[in-house]
Amino acid sequence: MIPREVSFGPDQDDNVTFNNESSSKKWMKIVVPVAAAGVLLLGLVLLLYVCGKKKHQQRDGKVGCNIEREFLELPLFDFATIVNATNNFSVKNKLGEGGFGPVYKGVLKNGQEIAVKRLSKSSGQGLDEFKNEVLYIVKLQHRNLVKLLGCCFQADEKMLVYEYMPNNSLDSFIFDERKGKALDWPKRFQIINGIARGLLYLHQDSRLRIIHRDLKASNVLLDNDMNPKISDFGVAKSFGGNETEAKTKRVIGTYGYMSPEYAISGVYSVKSDVFSFGVMVLEIVSGRRNSGFNHPDDLLNLIGHAWKLYMEGRPLELIDASLWNSCNLFEVLRTIHLGLLCVQKHPKDRPSMSSVVVILGGEGELPPPKEPGFFDGSDLHGASCLLTKHEPCSASKVTITLLKGR
């Protein structure tokens, strides 16, 4: 048999292999860049996610870390101790309720009376207020600020323990015709001075420059001697460095006490608290609430009514009838004048709290007040809504949350 001729050139199989390798290289030139681009895109997405999460943690988580650190400075109360002190949170021991949750009176075994703020499990904003309260009040020590004694934690229970104020809040006296008689002018003037000193401490002398943001008669508590103590720092804010004002999209405050620039634009500063203080001064002198105030001769609120009487030379008509037998007319008229200075429309026209304290203790001449910041229909509709309704409303894309007093 004659053997076949063998060829050593490239056969058909070799050609197939060669063509496959060429195709693979072309395919790789397409796949590799696409895969690299995909990996790069995925990396960017992950980076944005991590940065966003880190920013969220810095904004929200940082508060939680700070809270844990602040708790180390507070005495801890055993849950069983609080249960026994409040008679198992009896309704008879309940003092009131705010955005944070219910407040109960308690008596410890040593006889010390306490007030227990219990975080409501159904409150959406309660936890934020709880954190805020701890962050600020732990650092505050002043005779005109309520004193935090400690805290209590067990499972999902979170509570703050305060000194008990036997005379409850200022509003329970000045707006009650019978109880109001227990506050003669010297006591009311003492209360005004005490609130002013407490605010001065918050704005200027404390470790933090603090804006209360919800200063009102129901948030001023009275001790045995009727000394005022500012309470409820759940919505307070602090300023650092050279900050003088800030802006928020979520306005939190109480009907009748918010300054116009805060209610309308969300801008707050120490002058926002000064405005609220001015409202309280007029309420203490008159025994009437700014919110819901009605006079048969006009449709103005208490601020507007006080301004009208001042401009007509009749400021004495603002004075609570129960004060006539005890009032020092010079002090009362000067206090009304001060109240109107504090509620002026523009923040720059309002005095600082340091000036307020000087005015209360002096006899010098005062500048004439300018038009107050009450809403008379010429302001934004949302601001008018704020003063005529109790439900939340919005103005200039600012969300307004109204807090109810205890």
Side-chain angles (χ1 to χ4, degrees):
M1 180 178 292
I2 301 172
R4 292 182 178 177
E5 184 177 347
V6 178
S7 173
F8 292 97
D11 59 15
Q12 186 176 3
D13 290 339
D14 289 336
N15 285 332
V16 171
T17 302
F18 177 80
N19 290 335
N20 283 343
E21 288 177 355
S22 178
S23 298
S24 296
K25 288 180 181 179
K26 290 179 180 178
W27 179 249
M28 289 297 288
K29 288 180 180 180
I30 297 173
V31 171
V32 171
V34 172
V39 171
L40 181 61
L41 181 61
L42 180 61
L44 287 173
V45 171
L46 289 173
L47 181 62
L48 290 173
Y49 172 77
V50 171
C51 290
K53 189 173 182 180
K54 185 176 181 181
K55 185 177 180 180
H56 178 78
Q57 290 174 339
Q58 287 175 340
R59 184 180 67 247
D60 298 327
K62 185 178 179 181
V63 174
C65 294
N66 288 338
I67 290 295
E68 293 178 3
R69 187 163 60 250
E70 299 301 341
F71 284 154
L72 297 177
E73 301 179 27
L74 284 174
L76 290 174
F77 284 80
D78 182 71
F79 182 72
T81 300
I82 300 299
V83 170
N84 291 331
T86 60
N87 193 21
N88 196 21
F89 304 105
S90 168
V91 174
K92 294 181 180 179
N93 286 44
K94 190 173 180 180
L95 298 173
E97 187 160 0
F100 179 104
V103 182
Y104 298 89
K105 178 185 177 182
V107 182
L108 299 176
K109 287 185 178 180
N110 62 4
Q112 182 181 7
E113 294 180 315
I114 58 174
V116 179
K117 274 189 174 184
R118 189 183 191 188
L119 176 63
S120 173
K121 297 173 185 176
S122 61
S123 173
Q125 66 187 33
L127 182 57
D128 291 334
E129 291 189 23
F130 180 89
K131 293 175 180 179
N132 223 48
E133 189 98 2
V134 175
L135 276 175
Y136 292 130
I137 203 160
V138 165
K139 296 179 170 66
L140 303 176
Q141 295 292 331
H142 191 272
R143 61 178 298 180
N144 294 116
L145 303 181
V146 69
K147 185 178 180 181
L148 180 61
L149 302 177
C151 56
C152 175
F153 302 98
Q154 181 161 320
D156 57 348
E157 290 282 0
K158 295 179 179 63
M159 289 173 277
L160 296 177
V161 182
Y162 289 89
E163 59 178 333
Y164 174 67
M165 295 288 105
N167 285 312
N168 210 334
S169 55
L170 176 61
D171 66 325
S172 66
F173 278 87
I174 60 175
F175 303 136
D176 185 291
E177 187 175 347
R178 181 182 60 83
K179 293 177 68 176
K181 294 177 181 178
L183 289 182
D184 58 15
W185 173 248
K187 288 180 181 177
R188 295 196 192 200
F189 192 58
Q190 169 191 312
I191 288 170
I192 291 171
N193 273 276
I195 298 171
R197 287 192 295 267
L199 271 182
L200 174 61
Y201 171 79
L202 291 177
H203 291 178
Q204 183 173 304
D205 299 329
S206 65
R207 289 164 62 183
L208 300 170
R209 188 185 307 161
I210 295 175
I211 316 300
H212 190 282
R213 292 207 306 166
D214 194 29
L215 191 66
K216 55 187 176 182
S218 62
N219 280 345
V220 174
L221 306 182
L222 302 172
D223 67 11
N224 270 319
D225 299 316
M226 293 295 183
N227 294 310
K229 303 206 176 191
I230 300 171
S231 68
D232 288 336
F233 290 82
V235 297
K237 292 290 184 181
S238 64
F239 282 161
N242 296 320
E243 282 185 298
T244 56
E245 68 175 38
K247 187 172 184 178
T248 180
K249 291 184 179 179
R250 183 168 178 254
V251 175
I252 301 177
T254 301
Y255 171 81
Y257 292 93
M258 283 190 280
S259 63
E261 73 277 2
Y262 181 47
I264 298 172
S265 305
V267 175
Y268 62 90
S269 66
V270 292
K271 295 298 183 72
S272 307
D273 282 352
V274 172
F275 184 93
S276 302
F277 172 79
V279 174
M280 278 201 300
V281 165
L282 297 177
E283 289 183 332
I284 292 170
V285 171
S286 67
R288 303 169 185 175
R289 294 182 187 272
N290 184 41
S291 57
F293 174 83
N294 286 306
H295 192 276
D297 296 335
D298 55 54
L299 298 177
L300 299 172
N301 59 14
L302 179 62
I303 298 174
H305 181 63
W307 171 251
K308 179 182 177 182
L309 292 177
Y310 174 84
M311 293 300 290
E312 294 176 355
R314 300 183 292 137
L316 291 178
E317 293 181 24
L318 188 69
I319 302 174
D320 189 337
S322 66
L323 299 178
W324 279 106
N325 293 330
S326 63
C327 72
N328 176 320
L329 285 182
F330 173 81
E331 280 184 350
V332 174
L333 290 174
R334 187 175 178 84
T335 303
I336 293 173
H337 194 139
L338 172 62
L340 289 172
L341 288 174
C342 290
V343 297
Q344 292 177 107
K345 180 178 293 185
H346 301 292
K348 62 181 178 60
D349 293 329
R350 299 170 207 154
S352 64
M353 288 312 302
S354 57
S355 297
V356 167
V357 171
V358 171
I359 290 171
L360 287 170
E363 298 180 354
E365 187 175 351
L366 300 180
K370 298 178 182 178
E371 181 179 296
F374 63 93
F375 306 120
D376 57 2
S378 62
D379 299 274
L380 293 180
H381 169 72
S384 298
C385 170
L386 180 63
L387 280 188
T388 55
K389 297 182 180 179
H390 287 270
E391 65 269 14
C393 59
S394 297
S396 300
K397 298 182 180 179
V398 175
T399 301
I400 298 177
T401 304
L402 301 180
L403 304 181
K404 296 181 180 179
R406 288 202 301 269

